[in-house]
Amino acid sequence: MINTIIALYCLVDDLLKVSRHREDSRRHISDAEVIITALVAARFFGGNHAQSQDYLQEHGLIPQMLSASRFNRRLHAIADLIYDLQQQLGQVWMQLDGESEYLLDSFPVAVCDNI
């Protein structure tokens, strides 16, 4: 898991550098670290940001982790940046794997009875 996190961090950090993203020098953790915390939460902890923050801090990957409220504010402040990164990654994956075929299962399945 740690190798995956490190690889993701390098990818996100490189994408931010290529896009010439600037951030305030007074911040304790970078925008890349905030994004990685959210990605780790989504991938390994079922979307639980608190567990992701604890894991990254305990393993020394992000030693100066933000408080929960500060992290939440930073995450919402860079929402547009995350969307742009997602678009860039989508373009990269499409270029690398141009011959993939995708199937969509559209068969309706009853979820509950209408009572």
Side-chain angles (χ1 to χ4, degrees):
M1 177 170 21
I2 290 180
N3 290 335
T4 304
I5 294 169
I6 292 170
L8 277 173
Y9 176 78
C10 291
L11 181 65
V12 169
D13 192 48
D14 287 347
L15 282 173
L16 289 176
K17 287 177 184 175
V18 167
S19 65
R20 297 182 181 160
H21 173 68
R22 304 270 185 237
E23 46 187 274
D24 191 352
S25 62
R26 296 172 292 175
R27 293 185 172 173
H28 294 288
I29 69 171
S30 67
D31 288 341
E33 291 170 323
V34 173
I35 293 169
I36 285 303
T37 304
L39 289 175
V40 168
R43 174 67 177 93
F44 299 111
F45 297 106
N48 190 324
H49 292 156
Q51 286 180 351
S52 175
Q53 287 176 296
D54 291 342
Y55 179 84
L56 293 171
Q57 189 172 21
E58 287 171 6
H59 286 85
L61 296 172
I62 303 177
Q64 295 181 340
M65 184 55 73
L66 300 172
S67 67
S69 67
R70 174 65 61 190
F71 171 77
N72 217 5
R73 283 182 280 197
R74 285 278 303 274
L75 187 62
H76 288 326
I78 60 172
D80 291 336
L81 176 64
I82 293 171
Y83 180 76
D84 291 341
L85 286 177
Q86 183 181 9
Q87 294 297 321
Q88 290 176 11
L89 282 174
Q91 292 298 322
V92 169
W93 292 131
M94 283 180 18
Q95 290 174 0
L96 292 175
D97 196 18
E99 296 183 16
S100 291
E101 293 183 19
Y102 299 97
L103 300 174
L104 178 64
D105 184 9
S106 61
F107 183 75
V109 176
V111 177
C112 61
D113 293 328
N114 196 5
I115 299 174

